[in-house]
Amino acid sequence: MFLGYHRTQSGVFMGAHLSFADQEKAHELWEAIGFFSIKGWAPATSTNYSLRLSEPERFLISRSGVDKARFQKSDLIVIDANGVIDPADAAPSIKASAETQIHTAIYQRFPQVQCVLHTHSVLGTWLSQKFVKAWEIKFSDWEILKGLSGIQTHLTTVVLPVVNNHQDMKDILAEMESHWPNQPHGFLIAGHGLYTWGTSVAEAKRHIETFEFLFELKQLGT
Amino acid sequence: MFLGYHRTQSGVFMGAHLSFADQEKAHELWEAIGFFSIKGWAPATSTNYSLRLSEPERFLISRSGVDKARFQKSDLIVIDANGVIDPADAAPSIKASAETQIHTAIYQRFPQVQCVLHTHSVLGTWLSQKFVKAWEIKFSDWEILKGLSGIQTHLTTVVLPVVNNHQDMKDILAEMESHWPNQPHGFLIAGHGLYTWGTSVAEAKRHIETFEFLFELKQLGT
Amino acid sequence: MFLGYHRTQSGVFMGAHLSFADQEKAHELWEAIGFFSIKGWAPATSTNYSLRLSEPERFLISRSGVDKARFQKSDLIVIDANGVIDPADAAPSIKASAETQIHTAIYQRFPQVQCVLHTHSVLGTWLSQKFVKAWEIKFSDWEILKGLSGIQTHLTTVVLPVVNNHQDMKDILAEMESHWPNQPHGFLIAGHGLYTWGTSVAEAKRHIETFEFLFELKQLGT
Amino acid sequence: MFLGYHRTQSGVFMGAHLSFADQEKAHELWEAIGFFSIKGWAPATSTNYSLRLSEPERFLISRSGVDKARFQKSDLIVIDANGVIDPADAAPSIKASAETQIHTAIYQRFPQVQCVLHTHSVLGTWLSQKFVKAWEIKFSDWEILKGLSGIQTHLTTVVLPVVNNHQDMKDILAEMESHWPNQPHGFLIAGHGLYTWGTSVAEAKRHIETFEFLFELKQLGT
């Protein structure tokens, strides 16, 4: 709703040094963030988003603490594989997302992944807490499951891992380790929200929409 | 929300060879798709939409795999009664909807139908699974029933068929065969969503809105 | 959402012969209709709206069968106290709302009323059916009750009458007769929706929002 | 949605005599009000909003009785610490919010507070009534709690006070007195809605979004 009519005071689009192809992807990511905000899946400056840039070991990630209803393209900043901000984007007031480590770990684990999205919807938060002891949520036989990459039939069961919430990102990732061999499409952090990814911004966004739809079905019961 | 500010890279409006009357209808269909997307009834690139063109045995149908929040008029492509894409619209990356057969079968079955719409709301999906064993859902005595063509009083019962979900569209249609003599206004595919149609885009859209409203009433209980 | 970017084919604003003050009110009413549409309180071409014009015994009313998401100012037409369309607005395709009689009866009953609004939300529809045997719904002690004209404290009980749905508007009005001495702020028609009114468009809209808020509270339970 | 396209008849931006920095804050507050309106947290002309101006003992506050879907910057008026309207903004039709006293009391109690926001959502209203006898609502272990200033870990319990609704603002404030030593982030008035505040418009808005998110989780149950 509010996207685009608010301007940065600096007026600088930080991604201006990106290639044309990367700027196209950044635009698509910014549109997706606006979509999530309108849906109510990005409340209270929570959530974070990134994409892999064409230059090796370089990523664009949302900076910390920004209201997603007012998020601008210039709030996407360049980091390296260790999460260090590119000098061109660095400023005292600018911090990469507190969860940068999760993003970089996903890119390292899945070399084909181009985009990582983390939303924080009410239902994802609520269900993750409800299912954390089971350490997973199962979804079966819904047509919408085909929204997940590689799923060709609704006659299947998809397992979404749920890990405990920890203050230290390393502990979250350590708990994820045992889930990763199963090639999940994403995971929930208990009481916190959803991570998913894809080989493009469009695919990652489709995964978010698919899981949020499945969360609504789960809440209604079967 | 996002309708219209994103442009195709080709910049070509594929329907440019349509008659003026057909372009008006295409515009109205595109507006309806935007409306369904904002409502949350077209998540994760699901759903498909078509209309009958003025030239015999020619139809406009949404192409496969497009995010409905970013859907453009050029994502509507021309097909014939067998679902074959018009050479003017053909390109390696363009596929007609996987459910094209359902659309063409409806046009063949009901010669007066001008528009077929398929949405995929949470409640339609959930109710269809709940009622698939009954093979139908009944709605009675609501004023909104007058939103369905031919219904003149709320003192009536409307039956919405529910068919099982199959991977092969032919199996879905075969199951529909036994329902069609009852002249339904639409049908649900279990765990999948709603098909409805009308003698105009406006009438078909009104049918979608009527059924979605009835789904909400059904979920609240009576 | 879609308001304003769709144009009538005729391009004629039917209300062009209205006084400036009446055109201001018509604009405000048209904005309110867009608001109700976005809220989902005006589905499937249902609902109708009117205002009293400055000329005696003349009213502006929404014409029948228009999608409220595409409603234009030119879809407001001038009628007299008997519901007869002004010759300047008459055309074969144009009908006043089927419920015009309810509007004109309210204007006759309450001379100070300037605007009558009828919405058709899921909760209003559902609650009206649930409470029709009690013939009323009571709301007590909520701050939002002050949204109703004349209510100065939340420490009060407001009674909203519920009448049975009838095909003939005269039967609905006959049933309303016995409620009117209690000076209600509006009434529900069972399975059908809400009528309310006010001494201005703003007041009538505030009444709609107040009742819809109360419906949500009622559904949550106390 | 409707923000910005409706103009005041006077065409005067009442805050035109504000400093540039204050005008920036006023713009941000006006955006936040539009956001709350779209969310449905500001129905039926309810709710009120203010910010501390750079000049000592001067505040900008929303004037009474305005539809928040049509709220304009010129509906923000300047008051002093006693709630008296600045002569430049005074007019017979203009009243400061009926709850001005609550705003000025919060600014006096917390000198660092720059912005006070009061919303009126269905869930806040409903929960406040449900928990008024307990005189508080507790929220524990949710990640979103970090949306509240000073909260660094989700492993905590936040207490939101609930006070009874009174016609006289002084009685509401008297009841708040006993809660204030606990340094709450906000409070609920039973059957009425939420007050929260912050050291900036952005922080206060983040608090609103955090509490609304927590209300939805509470309604779903644990």
Side-chain angles (χ1 to χ4, degrees):
Chain A
M1 195 66 43
F2 298 134
L3 284 171
Y5 74 64
H6 181 76
R7 293 283 150 258
T8 46
Q9 291 191 18
S10 73
V12 177
F13 174 36
M14 296 180 185
H17 53 299
L18 300 180
S19 74
F20 182 78
D22 284 345
Q23 290 201 36
E24 285 275 306
K25 284 193 246 173
H27 177 85
E28 197 177 346
L29 179 58
W30 170 79
E31 256 193 59
I33 293 168
F35 181 88
F36 301 146
S37 170
I38 288 164
K39 285 286 188 183
W41 302 341
T45 78
S46 72
T47 75
N48 37 74
Y49 311 95
S50 69
L51 57 82
R52 190 191 289 274
L53 294 172
S54 41
E55 210 182 326
E57 304 292 296
R58 306 279 279 175
F59 307 89
L60 210 57
I61 196 163
S62 54
R63 69 190 188 89
S64 186
V66 180
D67 181 345
K68 297 310 177 291
R70 308 182 92 210
F71 195 85
Q72 300 171 66
K73 285 188 213 174
S74 53
D75 293 319
L76 295 169
I77 55 176
V78 178
I79 55 166
D80 66 17
N82 298 313
V84 177
I85 299 177
D86 186 278
D89 284 348
S93 66
I94 290 175
K95 286 197 304 176
S97 164
E99 292 162 39
T100 297
Q101 269 186 279
I102 296 181
H103 289 255
T104 53
I106 293 166
Y107 288 116
Q108 196 176 354
R109 183 65 181 74
F110 301 114
Q112 76 283 14
V113 165
Q114 298 295 319
C115 178
V116 176
L117 304 175
H118 166 49
T119 49
H120 195 139
S121 71
V122 169
L123 283 181
T125 302
W126 181 71
L127 287 169
S128 62
Q129 199 66 284
K130 228 174 141 76
F131 283 84
V132 64
K133 278 177 188 155
W135 227 39
E136 65 183 28
I137 309 181
K138 286 179 179 166
F139 305 98
S140 297
D141 299 342
W142 300 109
E143 178 74 12
I144 201 80
L145 290 169
K146 291 188 195 168
L148 301 175
S149 70
I151 306 286
Q152 304 291 345
T153 171
H154 63 281
L155 296 167
T156 190
T157 294
V158 164
V159 177
L160 181 67
V162 184
V163 301
N164 288 281
N165 199 7
H166 301 278
Q167 279 298 94
D168 193 326
M169 294 303 115
K170 276 181 193 134
D171 295 332
I172 290 176
L173 285 168
E175 206 173 316
M176 253 322 280
E177 287 291 341
S178 57
H179 287 296
W180 271 348
N182 304 312
Q183 298 276 347
H185 289 87
F187 63 95
L188 282 167
I189 304 175
H192 182 153
L194 174 69
Y195 272 89
T196 188
W197 45 79
T199 57
S200 64
V201 175
E203 186 178 281
K205 175 173 184 262
R206 203 181 68 221
H207 288 172
I208 290 281
E209 291 186 66
T210 301
F211 282 121
E212 289 296 338
F213 193 93
L214 289 164
F215 295 162
E216 293 192 60
L217 288 169
K218 187 63 81 182
Q219 195 252 326
L220 286 165
T222 47
Chain B
M1 194 67 42
F2 299 134
L3 284 173
Y5 73 64
H6 180 76
R7 293 283 150 257
T8 46
Q9 291 192 14
S10 72
V12 177
F13 174 36
M14 296 180 187
H17 53 298
L18 299 180
S19 74
F20 182 78
D22 285 345
Q23 290 200 36
E24 286 274 306
K25 283 193 246 174
H27 178 86
E28 196 176 347
L29 179 58
W30 169 79
E31 256 192 59
I33 293 168
F35 180 87
F36 301 146
S37 169
I38 288 165
K39 285 285 188 183
W41 302 341
T45 79
S46 72
T47 74
N48 36 74
Y49 311 95
S50 68
L51 58 83
R52 190 191 290 273
L53 294 172
S54 41
E55 210 182 327
E57 304 291 298
R58 306 278 280 175
F59 307 89
L60 210 56
I61 194 163
S62 54
R63 70 189 187 89
S64 186
V66 180
D67 182 346
K68 297 309 178 291
R70 308 182 93 209
F71 195 86
Q72 300 171 67
K73 285 188 211 173
S74 53
D75 293 319
L76 295 170
I77 55 175
V78 177
I79 57 166
D80 66 17
N82 298 313
V84 177
I85 298 177
D86 185 278
D89 284 348
S93 66
I94 290 176
K95 287 198 304 177
S97 163
E99 291 162 40
T100 297
Q101 268 184 280
I102 296 180
H103 289 254
T104 53
I106 293 166
Y107 288 116
Q108 197 176 356
R109 183 64 181 72
F110 302 114
Q112 78 282 16
V113 166
Q114 298 295 318
C115 179
V116 176
L117 304 175
H118 166 48
T119 49
H120 195 140
S121 71
V122 169
L123 283 182
T125 302
W126 180 71
L127 287 170
S128 62
Q129 199 67 282
K130 228 173 140 77
F131 283 84
V132 65
K133 278 175 188 155
W135 227 38
E136 64 183 29
I137 309 182
K138 286 180 180 165
F139 305 98
S140 297
D141 299 343
W142 301 109
E143 178 74 12
I144 201 79
L145 290 169
K146 291 189 195 168
L148 301 175
S149 70
I151 307 286
Q152 304 292 344
T153 170
H154 64 282
L155 296 167
T156 189
T157 294
V158 164
V159 177
L160 181 67
V162 184
V163 301
N164 288 280
N165 199 6
H166 301 278
Q167 279 299 95
D168 193 326
M169 294 303 114
K170 276 180 193 134
D171 296 331
I172 290 175
L173 285 168
E175 208 174 316
M176 252 323 280
E177 288 292 342
S178 57
H179 288 295
W180 271 348
N182 304 313
Q183 297 277 347
H185 289 87
F187 63 94
L188 282 167
I189 305 175
H192 182 153
L194 174 67
Y195 272 89
T196 188
W197 45 80
T199 58
S200 65
V201 175
E203 186 178 282
K205 176 173 184 258
R206 204 181 68 220
H207 288 173
I208 290 282
E209 291 186 66
T210 301
F211 282 122
E212 289 296 338
F213 193 93
L214 289 165
F215 295 163
E216 293 192 60
L217 289 169
K218 187 62 81 180
Q219 196 251 325
L220 286 164
T222 46
Chain C
M1 194 68 41
F2 299 137
L3 284 172
Y5 74 64
H6 180 77
R7 293 282 151 258
T8 46
Q9 291 193 15
S10 73
V12 177
F13 173 36
M14 296 181 187
H17 54 296
L18 300 180
S19 73
F20 182 77
D22 285 344
Q23 290 201 36
E24 286 275 307
K25 284 194 247 174
H27 178 86
E28 195 176 348
L29 179 58
W30 169 79
E31 257 193 59
I33 293 169
F35 180 87
F36 301 146
S37 170
I38 287 165
K39 285 285 189 184
W41 302 341
T45 78
S46 72
T47 74
N48 37 74
Y49 312 95
S50 69
L51 57 83
R52 191 190 289 273
L53 294 172
S54 41
E55 208 181 328
E57 303 294 296
R58 307 278 279 175
F59 307 89
L60 210 56
I61 194 163
S62 54
R63 70 189 187 89
S64 185
V66 180
D67 181 347
K68 296 310 177 291
R70 308 182 93 209
F71 195 85
Q72 299 170 67
K73 285 188 214 174
S74 53
D75 293 320
L76 295 169
I77 55 176
V78 177
I79 56 167
D80 65 17
N82 299 312
V84 177
I85 299 176
D86 184 278
D89 284 349
S93 66
I94 289 176
K95 288 198 304 177
S97 164
E99 292 161 40
T100 296
Q101 269 185 278
I102 296 180
H103 289 254
T104 52
I106 293 165
Y107 288 116
Q108 197 176 355
R109 183 66 180 73
F110 301 113
Q112 77 282 17
V113 166
Q114 298 294 319
C115 179
V116 176
L117 304 175
H118 165 48
T119 49
H120 194 142
S121 72
V122 169
L123 283 181
T125 303
W126 181 71
L127 287 169
S128 61
Q129 199 67 283
K130 228 173 141 75
F131 283 84
V132 65
K133 278 176 189 155
W135 227 40
E136 65 183 29
I137 310 181
K138 286 180 180 166
F139 304 99
S140 297
D141 298 342
W142 300 110
E143 178 73 13
I144 201 79
L145 289 168
K146 291 188 195 168
L148 301 175
S149 69
I151 307 285
Q152 304 291 346
T153 169
H154 64 282
L155 295 168
T156 189
T157 293
V158 164
V159 177
L160 180 68
V162 184
V163 301
N164 288 282
N165 199 6
H166 300 278
Q167 279 300 96
D168 194 325
M169 294 304 114
K170 277 180 193 136
D171 296 332
I172 290 176
L173 285 168
E175 208 174 315
M176 255 320 282
E177 288 291 342
S178 56
H179 288 295
W180 272 347
N182 304 312
Q183 297 276 348
H185 290 87
F187 64 94
L188 282 167
I189 305 174
H192 181 153
L194 174 68
Y195 272 89
T196 188
W197 45 79
T199 58
S200 65
V201 175
E203 185 177 283
K205 176 175 183 259
R206 203 181 69 221
H207 289 172
I208 290 281
E209 292 186 66
T210 301
F211 281 121
E212 289 296 338
F213 194 92
L214 289 165
F215 296 162
E216 294 192 60
L217 288 170
K218 187 62 81 181
Q219 195 252 325
L220 286 165
T222 46
Chain D
M1 192 70 41
F2 298 136
L3 285 171
Y5 72 65
H6 181 77
R7 294 282 150 257
T8 45
Q9 290 192 17
S10 72
V12 177
F13 173 38
M14 296 181 186
H17 53 298
L18 300 180
S19 73
F20 183 76
D22 285 345
Q23 290 201 37
E24 286 275 307
K25 284 194 246 173
H27 177 86
E28 196 176 346
L29 178 59
W30 170 79
E31 256 192 60
I33 294 168
F35 180 87
F36 301 146
S37 170
I38 288 164
K39 285 286 188 184
W41 302 341
T45 79
S46 71
T47 74
N48 37 74
Y49 310 96
S50 69
L51 56 82
R52 190 190 291 272
L53 293 172
S54 41
E55 210 181 327
E57 303 293 297
R58 305 279 279 175
F59 306 89
L60 210 56
I61 194 164
S62 53
R63 70 188 186 90
S64 185
V66 180
D67 182 347
K68 297 309 178 291
R70 309 182 93 209
F71 195 86
Q72 300 170 69
K73 286 189 213 173
S74 53
D75 293 319
L76 296 169
I77 55 177
V78 178
I79 56 167
D80 66 17
N82 299 313
V84 177
I85 299 178
D86 185 278
D89 284 348
S93 65
I94 289 176
K95 288 198 303 177
S97 165
E99 291 162 40
T100 297
Q101 270 186 278
I102 296 180
H103 290 254
T104 52
I106 293 166
Y107 289 116
Q108 196 177 353
R109 183 64 181 74
F110 302 113
Q112 78 282 16
V113 165
Q114 299 295 319
C115 179
V116 176
L117 304 175
H118 166 48
T119 49
H120 195 140
S121 71
V122 169
L123 283 180
T125 303
W126 181 72
L127 287 169
S128 62
Q129 200 65 285
K130 228 174 141 75
F131 283 84
V132 65
K133 278 177 189 155
W135 227 39
E136 65 182 28
I137 309 180
K138 286 180 179 165
F139 305 98
S140 298
D141 299 343
W142 300 109
E143 179 72 14
I144 200 80
L145 289 169
K146 291 189 196 167
L148 301 175
S149 70
I151 307 286
Q152 305 291 345
T153 169
H154 64 281
L155 296 167
T156 189
T157 293
V158 164
V159 176
L160 181 67
V162 184
V163 301
N164 288 281
N165 199 7
H166 301 278
Q167 278 299 95
D168 194 325
M169 294 303 114
K170 277 180 192 135
D171 295 332
I172 290 176
L173 285 168
E175 206 173 317
M176 250 325 278
E177 288 291 342
S178 57
H179 288 296
W180 271 347
N182 304 311
Q183 298 276 347
H185 290 87
F187 63 93
L188 282 167
I189 305 174
H192 182 155
L194 174 68
Y195 271 88
T196 188
W197 46 79
T199 57
S200 64
V201 176
E203 186 177 282
K205 176 173 183 261
R206 204 181 67 221
H207 288 173
I208 290 281
E209 291 186 67
T210 301
F211 281 122
E212 289 296 337
F213 194 93
L214 289 164
F215 296 162
E216 293 192 61
L217 288 169
K218 187 63 82 183
Q219 195 251 326
L220 285 165
T222 46

